Amino acid sequence: MYNNKQVIVIIPARGGSKAIPKKNIRFLGDKPLVAHVITCAKKSKYVDKVIVSTDDTKIQFIAKQYGASVSFRSLELAKDDVPLDPVIFDAVTREEKKLMDEFDLVFTIQPTSPLLKTSTLDHAIEYLVSNDYDTVISAVDSRALRWGFDEDKGSFYPLYEERLNRQYLPKVFQETGAILGTKRKFVLENSRIGDKIGLIEVSREESVDIDYYEDWWVAEKILNKKRIILKTDASNIIGTGHVFRCLSLASKLTNHEIVFLLDENKPLGIDLVANQNYPIITHNGDEDIIEKILEFKPDIIINDILDTDVEYMEQLRDLDYFIINFEDIGPGTQYANLIFDALYEHEEKIDNLYSGPDYYMLRGEFYYHSFSHIQEDVNELLLTFGGTDPNNLTEKTIDAIIESGFDKSITVILGLGYSNKSGIKEKYKKNINVRILENVKNMSEYMANADLIFTSAGRTMYEVASLAVPCICMCQNEREMTHTFGCRENGFINMGLGADLEIEDIKKRFLEVLEDYSLRVELSDAMKKTDLKHGYENIMNILRITYKEFLKEKQVETDDELNFRF
């Protein structure tokens, strides 16, 4: 009841559906189709009675199991060509005769709208009572460049005045079929709509109306959607690789609701994610991070922030979140459900840890290139030392190459966080062989065009290996020194800690690789042995299995668990 108004919901559910036979009793997710709207209506704080009008005993049984009453309609009212008006009128008048009382508001909810939310139904009831409307109908914004057809002339004509991008067109609404609410006096045998009509705009998800198998597929995808937080950051100290991996992951998790959680004190990460138009939540260091997580109410939290501490991870675990960490060797790992680490080969045994190149996720642009063909002469060098290059290995390497006498093309790509962009450009502006770039959008093309690459010993190694381009790498810090993938066996000449190297050391090693064609072929062939194009699939396969186990431990219903899909 709302404002002393008696509210009844009628759910018309025939047994004789055509496009999808028996669709009202088919399982969508964890329950039969018709049960979704029954559950929606039963949870309403305003609905006094929920009635399912049907001609089918199986639907009758399901309706009662989910707490609805049943009005068994006549065969005459169950025919294909019978509209809903007499069906709703029949169900309402029957119930009123039983109760010897009359309802004030009659709402029709179609079972083919299983994604309808109780909050939307409650809003529709409030909207009808609080405004001077006779009827309210759910609708979705469906503006588009539409065309009509003139039967007499046999020609098409535009239904718009001006060709504009969709967001600039005037709003046009299409009924969803989910809700039609009306005051009781307008519920007649041949009509349910009064003169004054209000529209309730619903989301595109709630507007899904299941008529065909394609609609069913869409509804399943939406029902299985999870809320996922990607906690990551980028700065001059930690680099940008963590954010780029999360961006790559987000681009693949298209079936789920994704939000990035970023530290407002590290604006580099915020800029990177904002440029890709993903939703962002910011927090202020450790002060309010848990509060921000609680506000979003995630199902899954993915941490890509290097080593986690016990306090943070323990709080997440106590809140019953499913937690996935990347590249984490900190004390907080004991609380993670899964740890993926493509760079480190951990010596100690950690449960749920998966390490090595099988779990590296290539950025999408690298999937489309074939392996590089090794030329006898090196004509194109590429230097790229990560997002920040804190040790300025870029400048040291350029100097070493110039001192070697190499007079071919040297392409340098600076990361977003490189600290002295203007200075390095000024230093080499007169050298016609040196080309310094930044904000590059197609890194894979530059790598694929190179005959030899210099880079640091981080995630970029995997991108180089996916193209099989010979590579000399240098470590930015002690952590990179433990990245076991950067070795001769995998196709890399690893020179160790870059800060300890002199220009002469780099020059000497460069000339060795430059002049040895067979060595470069050997390095390229070694890279080809590592499969780097199935990391995402490998991670998702493990995630599915582990998440099912997690839900079992939390005593989640088996049907719901089995219908979860990434």
Side-chain angles (χ1 to χ4, degrees):
M1 183 177 290
Y2 180 64
N3 277 8
N4 294 317
K5 305 291 184 183
Q6 289 277 348
V7 182
I8 186 172
V9 166
I10 309 296
I11 300 170
R14 283 196 314 132
S17 55
K18 293 292 187 291
I20 305 177
K22 299 291 183 182
K23 68 180 176 184
N24 284 317
I25 63 174
R26 288 191 179 211
F27 267 69
L28 176 69
D30 63 344
K31 56 175 77 76
L33 179 63
V34 67
H36 286 275
V37 288
I38 295 174
T39 302
C40 168
K42 291 289 292 182
K43 287 181 178 179
S44 169
K45 55 188 175 184
Y46 303 136
V47 173
D48 299 290
K49 194 74 176 181
V50 179
I51 303 285
V52 173
S53 171
T54 188
D55 61 329
D56 188 283
T57 55
K58 290 181 179 179
I59 295 175
Q60 178 187 37
F61 174 77
I62 291 168
K64 289 182 176 179
Q65 290 295 309
Y66 281 88
S69 299
V70 175
S71 176
F72 215 85
R73 71 177 81 165
S74 66
L75 294 176
E76 192 66 28
L77 289 176
K79 291 180 178 179
D80 291 344
D81 59 350
V82 175
L84 282 181
D85 295 333
V87 173
I88 303 305
F89 179 77
D90 173 72
V92 172
T93 53
R94 284 189 184 207
E95 189 62 25
E96 288 175 338
K97 286 178 181 178
K98 288 181 186 176
L99 298 175
M100 299 179 66
D101 196 5
E102 190 172 273
F103 291 97
D104 300 292
L105 306 177
V106 179
F107 276 76
T108 306
I109 301 180
Q110 296 272 29
T112 52
S113 299
L115 304 179
L116 180 67
K117 297 176 182 177
T118 299
S119 59
T120 302
L121 174 60
D122 284 345
H123 170 62
I125 295 169
E126 293 168 355
Y127 195 66
L128 180 59
V129 173
S130 303
N131 293 279
D132 187 26
Y133 292 123
D134 302 325
T135 304
V136 293
I137 300 172
S138 62
V140 65
D141 182 359
S142 66
R143 67 186 102 175
L145 295 173
R146 300 179 183 276
W147 290 73
F149 182 72
D150 189 316
E151 295 284 353
D152 295 331
K153 296 180 180 179
S155 60
F156 296 94
Y157 59 93
L159 296 177
Y160 55 86
E161 295 181 1
E162 184 180 1
R163 292 190 68 84
L164 299 170
N165 290 338
R166 182 186 180 278
Q167 62 268 33
Y168 298 114
L169 290 169
K171 281 192 172 185
V172 176
F173 291 99
Q174 176 180 326
E175 290 188 33
T176 68
I179 295 174
L180 194 156
T182 195
K183 293 175 180 175
R184 175 62 181 89
K185 65 180 179 179
F186 297 103
V187 179
L188 307 173
E189 193 166 3
N190 296 308
S191 176
R192 289 172 293 146
I193 298 177
D195 295 327
K196 298 177 181 179
I197 299 170
L199 296 183
I200 302 292
E201 185 174 358
V202 299
S203 66
R204 299 204 68 81
E205 288 187 4
E206 288 183 276
S207 74
V208 172
D209 184 24
I210 298 182
D211 286 324
Y212 303 101
Y213 284 106
E214 293 85 352
D215 305 321
W216 193 283
W217 181 84
V218 170
E220 280 190 329
K221 287 288 184 183
I222 295 172
L223 280 174
N224 292 326
K225 182 171 68 173
K226 299 298 176 184
R227 294 168 66 85
I228 301 175
I229 281 180
L230 292 169
K231 173 65 198 101
T232 187
D233 284 307
S235 70
N236 290 340
I237 297 174
I238 64 175
T240 58
H242 306 283
V243 167
F244 279 120
R245 174 169 40 222
C246 286
L247 286 169
S248 179
L249 186 58
S251 72
K252 296 177 173 64
L253 293 173
T254 54
N255 294 332
H256 303 283
E257 187 174 350
I258 303 293
V259 68
F260 280 77
L261 180 61
L262 300 161
D263 192 335
E264 62 190 44
N265 302 303
K266 295 171 180 157
L268 179 58
I270 296 173
D271 290 343
L272 286 170
V273 177
N275 285 336
Q276 299 296 320
N277 298 317
Y278 284 104
I280 293 172
I281 298 172
T282 61
H283 65 96
N284 184 15
D286 296 333
E287 292 181 12
D288 59 349
I289 186 169
I290 299 299
E291 177 185 335
K292 297 291 186 175
I293 290 170
L294 286 168
E295 287 176 6
F296 182 69
K297 299 178 182 177
D299 300 295
I300 296 170
I301 296 176
I302 298 175
N303 294 302
D304 198 339
I305 50 176
L306 291 178
D307 301 344
T308 56
D309 60 58
V310 169
E311 182 182 1
Y312 168 68
M313 290 293 293
E314 197 171 30
Q315 289 181 82
L316 297 185
R317 195 62 182 266
D318 289 345
L319 290 166
D320 283 340
Y321 297 130
F322 186 81
I323 311 165
I324 304 165
N325 289 5
F326 281 89
E327 283 181 31
D328 184 2
I329 56 175
T333 54
Q334 61 183 305
Y335 297 101
N337 300 95
L338 284 173
I339 307 142
F340 294 104
D341 198 336
L343 291 172
Y344 302 103
E345 294 288 349
H346 296 245
E347 294 181 1
E348 68 276 22
K349 172 65 177 175
I350 302 176
D351 291 339
N352 296 327
L353 166 68
Y354 298 87
S355 62
D358 286 344
Y359 306 103
Y360 181 77
M361 289 186 297
L362 276 176
R363 286 186 284 166
E365 61 179 293
F366 287 89
Y367 280 88
Y368 314 125
H369 289 275
S370 56
F371 290 131
S372 176
H373 176 68
I374 307 304
Q375 307 288 339
E376 288 199 28
D377 295 325
V378 173
N379 296 308
E380 178 70 42
L381 293 182
L382 175 64
L383 280 63
T384 177
F385 286 97
T388 58
D389 190 13
N391 296 294
N392 201 8
L393 300 180
T394 301
E395 186 173 348
K396 186 186 289 188
T397 303
I398 295 173
D399 288 343
I401 293 169
I402 291 173
E403 278 195 22
S404 75
F406 182 78
D407 61 355
K408 305 293 178 60
S409 176
I410 305 168
T411 299
V412 180
I413 297 179
L414 303 178
L416 290 173
Y418 187 82
S419 60
N420 189 27
K421 292 178 181 178
S422 59
I424 197 169
K425 289 178 180 178
E426 178 67 23
K427 179 176 179 178
Y428 300 108
K429 69 179 182 180
K430 293 182 180 179
N431 191 312
I432 61 173
N433 296 322
V434 179
R435 177 176 57 155
I436 298 179
L437 307 174
E438 56 180 313
N439 298 325
V440 166
K441 304 298 183 184
N442 52 338
M443 176 67 84
S444 61
E445 289 187 32
Y446 287 97
M447 287 187 176
N449 290 331
D451 298 307
L452 179 62
I453 295 176
F454 282 87
T455 189
S456 49
R459 299 165 197 83
T460 307
M461 292 189 299
Y462 286 117
E463 295 176 346
V464 174
S466 73
L467 303 171
V469 180
C471 183
I472 298 172
C473 63
M474 306 172 206
C475 302
Q476 292 278 11
N477 48 50
E478 293 293 338
R479 192 177 182 109
E480 283 194 1
M481 292 283 285
T482 66
H483 295 180
T484 56
F485 186 73
C487 64
R488 181 74 170 266
E489 182 181 353
N490 292 323
F492 295 88
I493 301 297
N494 193 329
M495 297 189 67
L497 197 61
D500 293 343
L501 296 172
E502 301 294 335
I503 289 176
E504 186 63 30
D505 299 324
I506 300 172
K507 181 177 75 172
K508 181 180 177 181
R509 185 54 57 88
F510 167 58
L511 287 172
E512 289 175 0
V513 179
L514 178 72
E515 295 167 0
D516 193 339
Y517 169 66
S518 62
L519 171 59
R520 285 183 277 114
V521 172
E522 174 197 320
L523 297 176
S524 179
D525 288 343
M527 291 180 179
K528 294 174 184 176
K529 295 177 182 178
T530 303
D531 178 7
L532 290 167
K533 295 190 175 179
H534 294 89
Y536 175 76
E537 289 83 355
N538 295 337
I539 288 171
M540 288 300 113
N541 287 337
I542 292 167
L543 198 161
R544 290 185 191 100
I545 294 169
T546 310
Y547 192 75
K548 287 180 182 180
E549 294 171 352
F550 171 81
L551 292 180
K552 283 181 180 178
E553 291 175 3
K554 301 302 176 186
Q555 297 181 337
V556 175
E557 291 181 9
T558 302
D559 287 330
D560 181 53
E561 151 214 327
L562 292 177
N563 276 282
F564 171 68
R565 295 287 185 272
F566 268 94

